């Protein structure tokens, strides 16, 4: 292993100071994982961590799992580990928490750094695999340290404290966003349970009132019993009652009981018979008129 920070200060760095202080330098690599270490620095500490993670990776590879690819964004504020496609931040290792960085001279693809976790305060060793850029990535992290230290001296330490506060606020915002998402999911689950409860507790036996049945012409059939009671009112008043027929039997001029076809409902006869009854009604009216006329002549005589 070779510490990247032992590089001489008078030697030219790989990137411009503006690129690391105002922006970041991106690199692509494979992420073998992270493991807890007992010491914040040391070549043997890192070498043991690399052996441990390589062995775990071989087991996962035999099970068909591939080494995940990540994107590293290096700046004077730290090293971010992102998912390459979605750009989701998986780990945000602040620079003041990184205590050691090195590449492996026996395996030029491997580079590591040790960072103190902000929540558990444990030292974690992050191990990466980059076929072409392992040494360059290590040197870029070293340059970021050098620029951050110079800025620390120029600001009298205030800049570091400001970055710590900003990092703490960013972590708090991320926790609040996660908590907010969990609460939204719980509210959605409660709403779904409420809907299910309302459906299950609704009266199953309740039936909507049926509309009156209609005939083939979509009309309500005539009912002689309820016809009078179902007639609508006019201007808020009930229609006048239908005068009842006299029960007294009247006899005609010849002493015979007259035939009254209207005592029978029209609905009791088919149409051809009803037409005959109408004709008889007309003749009956003429007879009544002639009879009255004859009575009038007799009185004058």
């Amino acid at each position: 292993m070779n510490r990247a920070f032992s590089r001489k200060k008078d030697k030219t760095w790989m990137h411009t100071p503006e690129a690391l202080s105002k922006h970041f330098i991106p690199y692509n690599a494979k992420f073998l994982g992270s493991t807890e270490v007992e010491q914040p620095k040391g070549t043997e500490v890192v070498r043991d961590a690399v052996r441990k993670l390589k062995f775990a990776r071989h087991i996962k590879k035999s099970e068909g799992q591939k080494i995940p690819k990540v994107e590293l964004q290096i700046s004077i504020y730290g090293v971010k580990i992102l998912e390459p496609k979605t750009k989701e931040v998986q780990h945000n290792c602040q620079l003041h928490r990184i205590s050691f960085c090195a590449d492996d001279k026996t395996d030029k693809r491997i580079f590591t750094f040790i960072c103190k976790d902000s929540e558990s305060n444990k030292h974690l060793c992050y191990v990466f695999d980059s076929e072409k850029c392992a040494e360059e990535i290590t040197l870029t992290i070293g340059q970021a340290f050098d620029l951050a230290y110079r800025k620390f001296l120029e600001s009298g330490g205030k800049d570091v404290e400001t970055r710590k506060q900003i990092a703490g606020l960013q972590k708090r915002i991320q926790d609040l966003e996660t908590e907010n998402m969990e609460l939204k999911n719980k509210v959605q689950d409660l709403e779904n349970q409420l809907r299910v409860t309302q459906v299950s507790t609704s009266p199953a036996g309740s039936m909507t009132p049926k509309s009156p049945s209609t005939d083939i012409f979509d009309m309500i059939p005539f009912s002689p019993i309820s016809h009078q009671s179902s007639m609508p009112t006019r201007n808020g008043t009930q229609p006048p009652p239908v005068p009842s027929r006299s029960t007294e039997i009247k006899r005609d001029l010849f002493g015979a009981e007259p035939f009254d076809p209207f005592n029978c409902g029209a609905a009791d006869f088919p149409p051809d018979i009803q037409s005959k009854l109408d004709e008889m009604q007309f003749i009956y009216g003429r007879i009544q008129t002639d009879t009255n006329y004859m009575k009038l002549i007799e009185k004058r005589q």
Side-chain angles (χ1 to χ4, degrees):
M1 293 286 180
N2 177 34
R3 284 196 64 180
F5 312 139
S6 64
R7 196 178 179 92
K8 293 182 181 181
K9 292 183 180 180
D10 57 352
K11 209 163 186 178
T12 306
W13 290 105
M14 299 181 61
H15 306 285
T16 62
E18 290 77 11
L20 287 166
S21 60
K22 296 182 179 180
H23 305 283
F24 58 85
I25 306 298
Y27 289 101
N28 292 322
K30 294 181 180 179
F31 185 33
L32 273 68
S34 62
T35 182
E36 183 181 357
V37 293
E38 297 180 357
Q39 300 295 328
K41 59 183 178 180
T43 304
E44 291 299 326
V45 174
V46 172
R47 185 179 288 118
D48 292 341
V50 171
R51 289 199 198 99
K52 182 179 179 180
L53 291 174
K54 277 187 174 181
F55 179 74
R57 182 53 57 186
H58 280 304
I59 295 177
K60 292 182 179 181
K61 189 176 181 180
S62 63
E63 296 174 352
Q65 298 184 20
K66 296 182 179 181
I67 302 176
K69 296 180 180 180
V70 295
E71 178 182 329
L72 300 176
Q73 294 181 356
I74 303 171
S75 68
I76 62 173
Y77 302 106
V79 179
K80 289 184 179 180
I81 305 172
L82 298 87
E83 206 284 327
K85 294 183 179 179
T86 62
K87 302 299 180 182
E88 180 183 357
V89 178
Q90 299 177 351
H91 303 278
N92 186 10
C93 303
Q94 301 168 18
L95 201 67
H96 67 275
R97 292 184 175 272
I98 297 176
S99 57
F100 190 80
C101 181
D103 54 55
D104 191 347
K105 294 304 177 184
T106 59
D107 189 350
K108 296 184 179 298
R109 302 177 306 171
I110 302 298
F111 69 95
T112 66
F113 62 81
I114 299 176
C115 180
K116 188 176 182 180
D117 186 65
S118 59
E119 296 182 355
S120 62
N121 286 329
K122 296 179 179 179
H123 292 91
L124 302 177
C125 182
Y126 294 82
V127 181
F128 302 89
D129 184 341
S130 180
E131 187 175 353
K132 298 180 181 180
C133 303
E135 184 178 4
E136 181 180 340
I137 294 173
T138 305
L139 294 176
T140 302
I141 295 176
Q143 184 180 358
F145 265 100
D146 183 68
L147 292 172
Y149 182 70
R150 292 181 183 179
K151 199 169 184 179
F152 170 78
L153 294 178
E154 293 174 358
S155 63
K158 295 180 180 180
D159 187 63
V160 175
E161 293 299 326
T162 302
R163 287 205 303 270
K164 288 182 180 180
Q165 293 177 3
I166 293 175
L169 291 174
Q170 289 176 345
K171 182 66 169 59
R172 179 59 178 163
I173 290 173
Q174 185 176 358
D175 293 341
L176 289 175
E177 288 178 349
T178 303
E179 184 179 354
N180 187 31
M181 184 61 65
E182 292 175 355
L183 290 175
K184 285 183 178 180
N185 294 333
K186 288 182 180 179
V187 170
Q188 186 65 36
D189 293 339
L190 290 175
E191 289 179 352
N192 294 335
Q193 292 177 7
L194 182 60
R195 293 193 188 98
V196 173
T197 305
Q198 289 176 348
V199 172
S200 61
T201 56
S202 60
S206 62
M207 298 178 63
T208 56
K210 292 184 178 180
S211 59
S213 58
T214 57
D215 56 14
I216 59 174
F217 301 104
D218 198 25
M219 297 184 65
I220 301 176
F222 172 75
S223 176
I225 299 176
S226 61
H227 176 68
Q228 182 177 352
S229 61
S230 63
M231 289 181 63
T233 61
R234 295 181 180 179
N235 298 326
T237 59
Q238 293 290 340
V242 179
S244 58
R245 294 179 178 268
S246 174
T247 57
E248 182 183 357
I249 300 176
K250 296 181 180 180
R251 299 181 182 274
D252 57 11
L253 181 64
F254 305 100
E257 185 177 339
F259 171 72
D260 187 1
F262 304 104
N263 287 330
C264 301
D268 296 337
F269 303 98
D272 54 344
I273 297 178
Q274 183 64 40
S275 62
K276 293 292 184 181
L277 290 175
D278 294 339
E279 184 178 354
M280 292 174 64
Q281 178 188 1
F282 177 75
I283 296 173
Y284 175 77
R286 292 292 301 273
I287 293 174
Q288 290 288 349
T289 303
D290 294 343
T291 302
N292 293 333
Y293 182 70
M294 291 175 64
K295 287 181 178 181
L296 181 61
I297 294 174
E298 290 178 353
K299 287 181 180 181
R300 288 181 178 178
Q301 291 178 354

PDB file of all heavy atoms in Angstrom, residues 99-119:
ATOM      1  N   SER A  99      -9.801   9.596   7.117  1.00  0.00           N
ATOM      2  CA  SER A  99      -8.531   9.600   7.859  1.00  0.00           C
ATOM      3  C   SER A  99      -7.399   8.913   7.115  1.00  0.00           C
ATOM      4  O   SER A  99      -6.226   9.101   7.470  1.00  0.00           O
ATOM      5  CB  SER A  99      -8.716   8.911   9.224  1.00  0.00           C
ATOM      6  OG  SER A  99      -9.209   7.583   9.048  1.00  0.00           O
ATOM      7  N   PHE A 100      -7.691   8.146   6.087  1.00  0.00           N
ATOM      8  CA  PHE A 100      -6.634   7.411   5.387  1.00  0.00           C
ATOM      9  C   PHE A 100      -7.113   7.070   3.980  1.00  0.00           C
ATOM     10  O   PHE A 100      -8.288   6.739   3.782  1.00  0.00           O
ATOM     11  CB  PHE A 100      -6.289   6.135   6.160  1.00  0.00           C
ATOM     12  CG  PHE A 100      -5.061   5.419   5.686  1.00  0.00           C
ATOM     13  CD1 PHE A 100      -3.798   5.843   6.060  1.00  0.00           C
ATOM     14  CD2 PHE A 100      -5.163   4.318   4.850  1.00  0.00           C
ATOM     15  CE1 PHE A 100      -2.664   5.182   5.630  1.00  0.00           C
ATOM     16  CE2 PHE A 100      -4.046   3.650   4.409  1.00  0.00           C
ATOM     17  CZ  PHE A 100      -2.793   4.086   4.805  1.00  0.00           C
ATOM     18  N   CYS A 101      -6.197   7.133   3.011  1.00  0.00           N
ATOM     19  CA  CYS A 101      -6.505   6.801   1.621  1.00  0.00           C
ATOM     20  C   CYS A 101      -5.281   6.166   0.990  1.00  0.00           C
ATOM     21  O   CYS A 101      -4.160   6.657   1.173  1.00  0.00           O
ATOM     22  CB  CYS A 101      -6.921   8.048   0.849  1.00  0.00           C
ATOM     23  SG  CYS A 101      -7.349   7.734  -0.878  1.00  0.00           S
ATOM     24  N   ALA A 102      -5.473   5.106   0.239  1.00  0.00           N
ATOM     25  CA  ALA A 102      -4.323   4.404  -0.332  1.00  0.00           C
ATOM     26  C   ALA A 102      -4.752   3.558  -1.511  1.00  0.00           C
ATOM     27  O   ALA A 102      -5.922   3.167  -1.631  1.00  0.00           O
ATOM     28  CB  ALA A 102      -3.652   3.522   0.716  1.00  0.00           C
ATOM     29  N   ASP A 103      -3.784   3.264  -2.404  1.00  0.00           N
ATOM     30  CA  ASP A 103      -3.996   2.290  -3.478  1.00  0.00           C
ATOM     31  C   ASP A 103      -3.085   1.099  -3.216  1.00  0.00           C
ATOM     32  O   ASP A 103      -2.083   1.194  -2.513  1.00  0.00           O
ATOM     33  CB  ASP A 103      -3.726   2.913  -4.847  1.00  0.00           C
ATOM     34  CG  ASP A 103      -2.360   3.545  -4.939  1.00  0.00           C
ATOM     35  OD1 ASP A 103      -1.370   2.850  -4.679  1.00  0.00           O
ATOM     36  OD2 ASP A 103      -2.283   4.753  -5.260  1.00  0.00           O
ATOM     37  N   ASP A 104      -3.439  -0.027  -3.814  1.00  0.00           N
ATOM     38  CA  ASP A 104      -2.717  -1.280  -3.584  1.00  0.00           C
ATOM     39  C   ASP A 104      -1.695  -1.478  -4.692  1.00  0.00           C
ATOM     40  O   ASP A 104      -2.052  -1.595  -5.865  1.00  0.00           O
ATOM     41  CB  ASP A 104      -3.718  -2.436  -3.559  1.00  0.00           C
ATOM     42  CG  ASP A 104      -3.088  -3.718  -3.054  1.00  0.00           C
ATOM     43  OD1 ASP A 104      -1.843  -3.765  -2.962  1.00  0.00           O
ATOM     44  OD2 ASP A 104      -3.832  -4.663  -2.747  1.00  0.00           O
ATOM     45  N   LYS A 105      -0.406  -1.513  -4.316  1.00  0.00           N
ATOM     46  CA  LYS A 105       0.648  -1.672  -5.319  1.00  0.00           C
ATOM     47  C   LYS A 105       0.755  -3.107  -5.812  1.00  0.00           C
ATOM     48  O   LYS A 105       1.265  -3.353  -6.906  1.00  0.00           O
ATOM     49  CB  LYS A 105       1.987  -1.227  -4.733  1.00  0.00           C
ATOM     50  CG  LYS A 105       2.051   0.264  -4.425  1.00  0.00           C
ATOM     51  CD  LYS A 105       1.724   1.075  -5.674  1.00  0.00           C
ATOM     52  CE  LYS A 105       1.717   2.575  -5.378  1.00  0.00           C
ATOM     53  NZ  LYS A 105       1.309   3.356  -6.552  1.00  0.00           N
ATOM     54  N   THR A 106       0.248  -4.074  -5.037  1.00  0.00           N
ATOM     55  CA  THR A 106       0.255  -5.461  -5.508  1.00  0.00           C
ATOM     56  C   THR A 106      -0.911  -5.737  -6.460  1.00  0.00           C
ATOM     57  O   THR A 106      -0.831  -6.633  -7.295  1.00  0.00           O
ATOM     58  CB  THR A 106       0.167  -6.415  -4.308  1.00  0.00           C
ATOM     59  OG1 THR A 106      -1.033  -6.155  -3.583  1.00  0.00           O
ATOM     60  CG2 THR A 106       1.375  -6.207  -3.389  1.00  0.00           C
ATOM     61  N   ASP A 107      -1.979  -4.971  -6.316  1.00  0.00           N
ATOM     62  CA  ASP A 107      -3.137  -5.080  -7.218  1.00  0.00           C
ATOM     63  C   ASP A 107      -3.516  -3.660  -7.614  1.00  0.00           C
ATOM     64  O   ASP A 107      -4.200  -2.953  -6.877  1.00  0.00           O
ATOM     65  CB  ASP A 107      -4.297  -5.793  -6.514  1.00  0.00           C
ATOM     66  CG  ASP A 107      -5.447  -6.118  -7.473  1.00  0.00           C
ATOM     67  OD1 ASP A 107      -5.429  -5.622  -8.624  1.00  0.00           O
ATOM     68  OD2 ASP A 107      -6.373  -6.853  -7.075  1.00  0.00           O
ATOM     69  N   LYS A 108      -3.070  -3.231  -8.779  1.00  0.00           N
ATOM     70  CA  LYS A 108      -3.191  -1.839  -9.188  1.00  0.00           C
ATOM     71  C   LYS A 108      -4.638  -1.409  -9.445  1.00  0.00           C
ATOM     72  O   LYS A 108      -4.893  -0.239  -9.678  1.00  0.00           O
ATOM     73  CB  LYS A 108      -2.349  -1.583 -10.450  1.00  0.00           C
ATOM     74  CG  LYS A 108      -0.859  -1.771 -10.224  1.00  0.00           C
ATOM     75  CD  LYS A 108      -0.082  -1.416 -11.475  1.00  0.00           C
ATOM     76  CE  LYS A 108       1.427  -1.583 -11.245  1.00  0.00           C
ATOM     77  NZ  LYS A 108       1.940  -0.677 -10.196  1.00  0.00           N
ATOM     78  N   ARG A 109      -5.580  -2.341  -9.399  1.00  0.00           N
ATOM     79  CA  ARG A 109      -6.987  -1.975  -9.612  1.00  0.00           C
ATOM     80  C   ARG A 109      -7.669  -1.547  -8.316  1.00  0.00           C
ATOM     81  O   ARG A 109      -8.741  -0.942  -8.351  1.00  0.00           O
ATOM     82  CB  ARG A 109      -7.765  -3.163 -10.201  1.00  0.00           C
ATOM     83  CG  ARG A 109      -7.208  -3.674 -11.528  1.00  0.00           C
ATOM     84  CD  ARG A 109      -7.996  -4.889 -11.984  1.00  0.00           C
ATOM     85  NE  ARG A 109      -8.027  -5.916 -10.935  1.00  0.00           N
ATOM     86  CZ  ARG A 109      -8.778  -7.016 -10.990  1.00  0.00           C
ATOM     87  NH1 ARG A 109      -9.583  -7.219 -12.025  1.00  0.00           N
ATOM     88  NH2 ARG A 109      -8.728  -7.908 -10.015  1.00  0.00           N
ATOM     89  N   ILE A 110      -7.097  -1.856  -7.165  1.00  0.00           N
ATOM     90  CA  ILE A 110      -7.761  -1.657  -5.880  1.00  0.00           C
ATOM     91  C   ILE A 110      -7.301  -0.349  -5.232  1.00  0.00           C
ATOM     92  O   ILE A 110      -6.107  -0.042  -5.198  1.00  0.00           O
ATOM     93  CB  ILE A 110      -7.478  -2.834  -4.930  1.00  0.00           C
ATOM     94  CG1 ILE A 110      -7.947  -4.157  -5.549  1.00  0.00           C
ATOM     95  CG2 ILE A 110      -8.173  -2.611  -3.590  1.00  0.00           C
ATOM     96  CD1 ILE A 110      -9.434  -4.226  -5.828  1.00  0.00           C
ATOM     97  N   PHE A 111      -8.236   0.433  -4.718  1.00  0.00           N
ATOM     98  CA  PHE A 111      -7.922   1.598  -3.886  1.00  0.00           C
ATOM     99  C   PHE A 111      -8.958   1.679  -2.762  1.00  0.00           C
ATOM    100  O   PHE A 111     -10.095   1.196  -2.897  1.00  0.00           O
ATOM    101  CB  PHE A 111      -7.901   2.892  -4.707  1.00  0.00           C
ATOM    102  CG  PHE A 111      -9.250   3.328  -5.207  1.00  0.00           C
ATOM    103  CD1 PHE A 111     -10.020   4.240  -4.515  1.00  0.00           C
ATOM    104  CD2 PHE A 111      -9.749   2.822  -6.398  1.00  0.00           C
ATOM    105  CE1 PHE A 111     -11.268   4.643  -4.982  1.00  0.00           C
ATOM    106  CE2 PHE A 111     -10.981   3.220  -6.874  1.00  0.00           C
ATOM    107  CZ  PHE A 111     -11.743   4.134  -6.167  1.00  0.00           C
ATOM    108  N   THR A 112      -8.571   2.275  -1.649  1.00  0.00           N
ATOM    109  CA  THR A 112      -9.408   2.304  -0.456  1.00  0.00           C
ATOM    110  C   THR A 112      -9.287   3.646   0.244  1.00  0.00           C
ATOM    111  O   THR A 112      -8.342   4.414   0.013  1.00  0.00           O
ATOM    112  CB  THR A 112      -9.003   1.200   0.538  1.00  0.00           C
ATOM    113  OG1 THR A 112      -7.692   1.499   1.026  1.00  0.00           O
ATOM    114  CG2 THR A 112      -8.996  -0.168  -0.115  1.00  0.00           C
ATOM    115  N   PHE A 113     -10.229   3.908   1.126  1.00  0.00           N
ATOM    116  CA  PHE A 113     -10.079   5.007   2.089  1.00  0.00           C
ATOM    117  C   PHE A 113     -10.897   4.653   3.333  1.00  0.00           C
ATOM    118  O   PHE A 113     -11.882   3.908   3.267  1.00  0.00           O
ATOM    119  CB  PHE A 113     -10.505   6.357   1.501  1.00  0.00           C
ATOM    120  CG  PHE A 113     -11.950   6.459   1.093  1.00  0.00           C
ATOM    121  CD1 PHE A 113     -12.949   6.723   2.026  1.00  0.00           C
ATOM    122  CD2 PHE A 113     -12.324   6.298  -0.236  1.00  0.00           C
ATOM    123  CE1 PHE A 113     -14.269   6.833   1.650  1.00  0.00           C
ATOM    124  CE2 PHE A 113     -13.653   6.403  -0.616  1.00  0.00           C
ATOM    125  CZ  PHE A 113     -14.632   6.674   0.326  1.00  0.00           C
ATOM    126  N   ILE A 114     -10.482   5.175   4.467  1.00  0.00           N
ATOM    127  CA  ILE A 114     -11.144   4.944   5.745  1.00  0.00           C
ATOM    128  C   ILE A 114     -11.881   6.222   6.135  1.00  0.00           C
ATOM    129  O   ILE A 114     -11.302   7.314   6.113  1.00  0.00           O
ATOM    130  CB  ILE A 114     -10.143   4.541   6.842  1.00  0.00           C
ATOM    131  CG1 ILE A 114      -9.441   3.228   6.459  1.00  0.00           C
ATOM    132  CG2 ILE A 114     -10.843   4.381   8.191  1.00  0.00           C
ATOM    133  CD1 ILE A 114      -8.358   2.812   7.448  1.00  0.00           C
ATOM    134  N   CYS A 115     -13.146   6.068   6.517  1.00  0.00           N
ATOM    135  CA  CYS A 115     -13.983   7.211   6.887  1.00  0.00           C
ATOM    136  C   CYS A 115     -14.743   6.887   8.169  1.00  0.00           C
ATOM    137  O   CYS A 115     -15.219   5.757   8.351  1.00  0.00           O
ATOM    138  CB  CYS A 115     -14.964   7.533   5.758  1.00  0.00           C
ATOM    139  SG  CYS A 115     -16.058   8.942   6.096  1.00  0.00           S
ATOM    140  N   LYS A 116     -14.861   7.868   9.050  1.00  0.00           N
ATOM    141  CA  LYS A 116     -15.601   7.702  10.300  1.00  0.00           C
ATOM    142  C   LYS A 116     -17.074   7.972  10.040  1.00  0.00           C
ATOM    143  O   LYS A 116     -17.445   9.055   9.566  1.00  0.00           O
ATOM    144  CB  LYS A 116     -15.054   8.656  11.362  1.00  0.00           C
ATOM    145  CG  LYS A 116     -15.640   8.428  12.747  1.00  0.00           C
ATOM    146  CD  LYS A 116     -14.990   9.344  13.766  1.00  0.00           C
ATOM    147  CE  LYS A 116     -15.521   9.099  15.171  1.00  0.00           C
ATOM    148  NZ  LYS A 116     -14.882  10.001  16.162  1.00  0.00           N
ATOM    149  N   ASP A 117     -17.905   6.989  10.374  1.00  0.00           N
ATOM    150  CA  ASP A 117     -19.342   7.121  10.134  1.00  0.00           C
ATOM    151  C   ASP A 117     -19.943   8.173  11.065  1.00  0.00           C
ATOM    152  O   ASP A 117     -19.628   8.218  12.264  1.00  0.00           O
ATOM    153  CB  ASP A 117     -20.037   5.769  10.347  1.00  0.00           C
ATOM    154  CG  ASP A 117     -21.502   5.815   9.976  1.00  0.00           C
ATOM    155  OD1 ASP A 117     -21.827   6.014   8.801  1.00  0.00           O
ATOM    156  OD2 ASP A 117     -22.333   5.670  10.892  1.00  0.00           O
ATOM    157  N   SER A 118     -20.817   9.034  10.518  1.00  0.00           N
ATOM    158  CA  SER A 118     -21.372  10.147  11.290  1.00  0.00           C
ATOM    159  C   SER A 118     -22.396   9.690  12.319  1.00  0.00           C
ATOM    160  O   SER A 118     -22.639  10.384  13.314  1.00  0.00           O
ATOM    161  CB  SER A 118     -22.011  11.168  10.346  1.00  0.00           C
ATOM    162  OG  SER A 118     -23.040  10.558   9.584  1.00  0.00           O
ATOM    163  N   GLU A 119     -23.030   8.541  12.119  1.00  0.00           N
ATOM    164  CA  GLU A 119     -24.059   8.068  13.038  1.00  0.00           C
ATOM    165  C   GLU A 119     -23.504   7.139  14.107  1.00  0.00           C
ATOM    166  O   GLU A 119     -23.760   7.313  15.293  1.00  0.00           O
ATOM    167  CB  GLU A 119     -25.180   7.370  12.255  1.00  0.00           C
ATOM    168  CG  GLU A 119     -25.943   8.307  11.310  1.00  0.00           C
ATOM    169  CD  GLU A 119     -27.064   7.600  10.584  1.00  0.00           C
ATOM    170  OE1 GLU A 119     -27.182   6.360  10.747  1.00  0.00           O
ATOM    171  OE2 GLU A 119     -27.824   8.264   9.855  1.00  0.00           O
TER     172      GLU A 119
END
